[in-house]
Amino acid sequence: VMLQQSEPSAEVVGLDGDSETLAIARDKAKAAGVSIVFHEAMAYAPPFAAGSFDRIVSSLLFHHLTTEVKRRTLAKIFDLLRPGGTLHIADWGAAQDPLMRAAFLSVQILDGFDTTADNVAGRLPELMRRAGFADVRETHRERTVFGTLSLYAARKPL
């Protein structure tokens, strides 16, 4: 909703594998008066053709995925982007200090240690590079009650 509101001329598409989450998203979009098309599918198998997007934004998805599914998802994102397209990820990152590491334990207990290990070890940028992305960088880190939230950006080469 915020993406559509900040760029009203953009075509924003939503994707989630959970029908209940999509119902909530549809209700929020309707209440905000924005037009967003939502699709139910897994991130590694979306219903879109290669080169369909200029930008892909992911918010708090990757810490739910195993390493292998992270790799598959990043490979699919790379395929979906047009040359020069950008990927933006907001997700849990490497702990800044022992306090942030301790705070992240609550997320790991709820979401699983196997799926969150790459995040807390700071491996998302390397996984992005291995998928073919260039200019991979962490653009911001935020201390939260649940640990370090990191913002990442990357580009598909021309």
Side-chain angles (χ1 to χ4, degrees):
V1 169
M2 289 173 61
L3 289 171
Q4 187 67 70
Q5 289 172 330
S6 68
E7 292 294 331
S9 64
E11 180 183 348
V12 176
V13 177
L15 177 77
D16 201 290
D18 182 352
S19 60
E20 291 178 22
T21 299
L22 286 173
I24 293 167
R26 284 185 183 102
D27 289 345
K28 287 182 177 182
K30 184 177 179 181
V34 296
S35 177
I36 300 172
V37 177
F38 293 95
H39 297 269
E40 184 174 347
M42 300 307 288
Y44 55 82
F48 310 116
S52 294
F53 298 96
D54 294 314
R55 288 182 184 83
I56 293 179
V57 177
S58 170
S59 178
L60 296 173
L61 165 71
F62 279 87
H63 74 279
H64 293 287
L65 310 177
T66 64
T67 301
E68 179 54 32
V69 176
K70 283 178 176 82
R71 286 185 185 122
R72 288 174 55 198
T73 300
L74 288 166
K76 180 49 79 172
I77 289 170
F78 188 86
D79 183 56
L80 290 174
L81 283 169
R82 294 180 181 105
T86 56
L87 168 62
H88 303 273
I89 297 175
D91 215 314
W92 304 112
Q96 294 163 286
D97 54 45
L99 178 61
M100 288 294 95
R101 180 64 187 99
F104 192 65
L105 284 173
S106 63
V107 174
Q108 290 191 289
I109 290 167
L110 289 172
D111 292 333
F113 286 85
D114 186 42
T115 57
T116 57
D118 292 323
N119 294 70
V120 75
R123 291 192 284 261
L124 282 181
E126 181 57 28
L127 291 169
M128 294 163 73
R129 284 185 200 93
R130 287 185 183 180
F133 288 96
D135 303 327
V136 177
R137 63 203 180 283
E138 183 181 51
T139 60
H140 184 75
R141 303 178 99 202
E142 191 70 35
R143 297 172 67 87
T144 78
V145 69
F146 297 112
T148 302
L149 183 69
S150 293
L151 303 182
Y152 303 102
R155 180 182 56 80
K156 182 174 181 175
L158 294 174

